[in-house]
Amino acid sequence: MKKIIIVIFAIALSFSSCEKDDICDANTPTTPRLVIGFYDFLNPSVLKNVTNLKVIGEGMTSGVLFNGSETTNLNSISLPLKTVGTTTTFRLTLNSGNSNPALVDQDIIKFDYSTQELFVSRACGYKTVFTLDPINPYTHTDPIAVNQKWIKFISVEKNNIDSENETHIKIFF
């Protein structure tokens, strides 16, 4: 009888030292990406698909992947901003890979912002939220010719980037 009580006590003691696993749920919001929608310049309310868009971040040699590919034909994209620093620059190339170089067009957009770290949970840690600079949220240049930009106009829809549920930037072309 003594041995049974000692065994039960030892088992109970071993379970009392266990604690709940901290696993970050996949549905927990993390650091949001910048959501960009593409619109028709002549009909601003209509979403427009880009043709073979390739996006390369500053200092990178390969492009951002969209559905496993470096080019996309979507009407919106989500781009990661740098959590260290206050600017992120992307080179957006329209008609990337086209055999006719005259149809390939690049624009460079630099986003200026401030960051704030928010505690999510012990399991997930921190996430960073961004606030686009209210005075100068972006700089738009064409590396070849200033008057031949494929992006005609950029509209900031939401300065605070705290989720990926809405469009933050509209690009008209």
Side-chain angles (χ1 to χ4, degrees), residues 5-16:
I5 293 175
I6 292 174
V7 170
I8 291 174
F9 181 70
I11 291 173
L13 188 61
S14 69
F15 282 118
S16 69

Side-chain angles (χ1 to χ4, degrees), residues 47-117:
L47 280 166
K48 184 177 178 182
N49 282 352
V50 290
T51 306
N52 293 326
L53 177 70
K54 184 174 185 176
V55 180
I56 300 176
E58 181 181 44
M60 304 298 287
T61 55
S62 60
V64 176
L65 295 180
F66 304 102
N67 298 326
S69 174
E70 284 190 353
T71 59
T72 186
N73 292 320
L74 300 174
N75 58 24
S76 70
I77 58 174
S78 298
L79 298 176
L81 296 176
K82 293 179 183 177
T83 57
V84 177
T86 59
T87 64
T88 301
T89 302
F90 293 103
R91 183 177 44 197
L92 285 75
T93 306
L94 185 67
N95 295 321
S96 176
N98 194 311
S99 59
N100 183 354
L103 297 177
V104 178
D105 199 353
Q106 279 186 19
D107 282 8
I108 296 174
I109 302 177
K110 180 179 92 170
F111 296 101
D112 296 314
Y113 51 85
S114 60
T115 62
Q116 179 184 7
E117 287 189 348

Side-chain angles (χ1 to χ4, degrees), residues 120-147:
V120 176
S121 69
R122 190 171 79 181
C124 298
Y126 288 85
K127 75 175 188 174
T128 303
V129 293
F130 307 93
T131 302
L132 292 174
D133 184 339
I135 296 169
N136 189 27
Y138 64 87
T139 305
H140 175 209
T141 59
D142 183 327
I144 299 170
V146 174
N147 58 354

